[in-house]
Amino acid sequence: MSDFRIGLVLPDVMGTYGDSGNALVLRQRMLMRGLDAEIVSITLADPVPESLDVYVLGGAEDSAQRLATKHLARYPGLQRAAERGAPVLAICAAIQVLGEWYETSSGERVDGVSMLNVTTAPQATRSIGEVITRPVSDRLTQTLTGFENHRGGTTLGPDAAPFARVEHGIGNGVGDGNEGVVQGSVIGTYMHGPALARNPELADHLLETALGHPLEPLHLADVEQLRTERLRR
């Protein structure tokens, strides 16, 4: 068993858009530096361990969101891990699950697990397409790129901060120019792609937060070419 463990949370219900690839990116960037790492897949059949180093969650539809919300409320290992400072990356619907509440497409309000001080309600128009944002944190310097596909309009409460500002696309969907959310060690974003394949600086930020020290940079021509192509589009 590796000393560094990446929690892939509920890929059986929160993996609609290939976001499980974020865990693969984290592991690969560790391995390319000669550092051992393993992915721990946590399904609906498993309690959520609080002892892992970093956690990733992906997107889902309404029915899958309900299952994920119930499971995380029953097994609060993710909440406890975030309380001790373990980094968590929540993609798209995972923002809503980790929030205070969200409304389904039928208008029913569902309580989230309250890791994020956000609320989400369906919007009249679906947000779909390429999105480019500028991170708010000074620990991230590169433009962020991804693919958004959601109807949620996410409003940030006073304890939450925006992850980035939209330069192209929609973002959180409530017209304030924000994309995603940051609260404590939790980062939420609507960017698919997978997000960490498109944004290696963000991937390394999560790893460095988990490790508690900086990593040697990786210079990967293919990754830079991907970023250039996406930003050009």
Side-chain angles (χ1 to χ4, degrees), residues 113-198:
V113 298
S114 298
M115 290 176 64
L116 294 171
N117 183 209
V118 304
T119 58
T120 304
Q123 301 301 291
T125 304
R126 191 169 191 84
S127 302
I128 183 168
E130 293 289 321
V131 59
I132 297 173
T133 68
R134 179 68 59 181
V136 172
S137 170
D138 57 9
R139 294 188 63 185
L140 296 170
T141 62
Q142 296 181 354
T143 299
L144 298 160
T145 170
F147 187 85
E148 57 184 352
N149 184 2
H150 65 95
R151 271 193 66 201
T154 296
T155 301
L156 276 55
D159 295 329
F163 174 52
R165 296 287 296 172
V166 176
E167 295 188 346
H168 173 81
I170 304 299
N172 287 353
V174 292
D176 58 6
N178 291 330
E179 200 290 317
V181 55
V182 177
Q183 187 170 337
S185 62
V186 182
I187 295 175
T189 175
Y190 277 103
M191 293 187 298
H192 302 287
L196 298 186
R198 288 180 171 226

Side-chain angles (χ1 to χ4, degrees), residues 205-217:
H205 169 69
L206 294 169
L207 293 174
E208 289 172 348
T209 300
L211 291 165
H213 62 75
L215 291 165
E216 290 295 321

Side-chain angles (χ1 to χ4, degrees), residues 3-232:
D3 289 336
F4 190 89
R5 295 180 296 165
I6 301 158
L8 177 56
V9 183
L10 302 178
D12 46 344
V13 289
M14 300 286 286
T16 304
Y17 300 108
D19 297 311
S20 296
N22 287 319
L24 297 173
V25 172
L26 290 174
R27 183 179 66 182
Q28 187 63 22
R29 293 186 73 82
M30 289 284 285
L31 295 176
M32 294 180 77
R33 293 176 167 101
L35 302 171
D36 195 17
E38 70 169 317
I39 296 171
V40 178
S41 184
I42 305 154
T43 72
L44 287 175
D46 308 308
V48 182
E50 60 183 275
S51 58
L52 307 184
D53 296 283
V54 58
Y55 297 79
V56 295
L57 303 88
E61 305 302 327
D62 283 354
S63 59
Q65 282 181 247
R66 286 177 173 276
L67 292 172
T69 305
K70 290 179 180 178
H71 193 77
L72 294 178
R74 181 181 180 187
Y75 299 107
L78 182 67
Q79 296 89 307
R80 292 171 183 159
E83 287 171 1
R84 65 170 170 81
V88 177
L89 178 66
I91 303 295
C92 197
I95 297 174
Q96 302 168 26
V97 169
L98 300 190
E100 306 287 353
W101 54 260
Y102 59 91
E103 287 185 11
T104 66
S105 57
S106 62
E108 182 181 357
R109 183 172 294 189
V110 179
D111 289 336
V113 298
S114 298
M115 290 176 64
L116 294 171
N117 183 209
V118 304
T119 58
T120 304
Q123 301 301 291
T125 304
R126 191 169 191 84
S127 302
I128 183 168
E130 293 289 321
V131 59
I132 297 173
T133 68
R134 179 68 59 181
V136 172
S137 170
D138 57 9
R139 294 188 63 185
L140 296 170
T141 62
Q142 296 181 354
T143 299
L144 298 160
T145 170
F147 187 85
E148 57 184 352
N149 184 2
H150 65 95
R151 271 193 66 201
T154 296
T155 301
L156 276 55
D159 295 329
F163 174 52
R165 296 287 296 172
V166 176
E167 295 188 346
H168 173 81
I170 304 299
N172 287 353
V174 292
D176 58 6
N178 291 330
E179 200 290 317
V181 55
V182 177
Q183 187 170 337
S185 62
V186 182
I187 295 175
T189 175
Y190 277 103
M191 293 187 298
H192 302 287
L196 298 186
R198 288 180 171 226
N199 302 287
E201 185 185 43
L202 176 58
D204 283 351
H205 169 69
L206 294 169
L207 293 174
E208 289 172 348
T209 300
L211 291 165
H213 62 75
L215 291 165
E216 290 295 321
L218 292 175
H219 301 289
L220 305 173
D222 289 348
V223 174
E224 290 307 313
Q225 181 179 354
L226 171 65
R227 282 185 54 76
T228 299
E229 289 176 356
R230 292 296 90 196
L231 289 169
R232 186 177 297 150

